[in-house]
Amino acid sequence: DGNLVGSIPAEIGNLRRLRRLWLYNNQLTGTLPDELGALSLLEVLETHSNNINGTMPRPVCSIMEAATYTSKSLTADCNELECSECCTECF
């Protein structure tokens, strides 16, 4: 953690087999790309402790709601990133 700077590229949606993505405690900015919604196997997405704003893409919420992984996690700084309806934890 701490070494990623800038925005999350839309190309992340090309990583179709990605299950777990820990992005917390970095210097990420901007919004979450809608392309995250293409990660249909996603079980963990932790984005807290960054400067990410906007709204959690609804497809990401749907994927996380359907995930059966017992330790599924969707986190965000909910004061900056609207995620109160589907995040498992707000910071």
Side-chain angles (χ1 to χ4, degrees):
D1 67 272
N3 295 321
L4 299 178
V5 178
S7 60
I8 301 167
E11 291 79 12
I12 199 157
N14 295 332
L15 303 173
R16 304 291 176 149
R17 293 186 177 183
L18 188 67
R19 292 182 179 272
R20 300 176 189 133
L21 182 58
W22 292 275
L23 297 172
Y24 62 90
N25 288 336
N26 283 286
Q27 298 172 42
L28 297 171
T29 59
T31 60
L32 292 176
D34 290 335
E35 289 78 4
L36 284 170
L39 304 178
S40 61
L41 301 176
L42 197 62
E43 301 167 332
V44 173
L45 176 60
E46 297 190 357
T47 65
H48 61 278
S49 301
N50 282 290
N51 291 309
I52 298 171
N53 55 45
T55 302
M56 182 66 66
R58 184 68 204 143
V60 173
C61 294
S62 298
I63 290 166
M64 293 302 294
E65 289 166 0
T68 58
Y69 181 59
T70 56
S71 297
K72 68 181 175 180
S73 177
L74 181 60
T75 68
D77 295 310
C78 294
N79 289 334
E80 297 176 29
L81 179 70
E82 177 54 45
C83 187
S84 59
E85 293 186 24
C86 67
C87 276
T88 59
E89 187 171 3
C90 288
F91 288 81

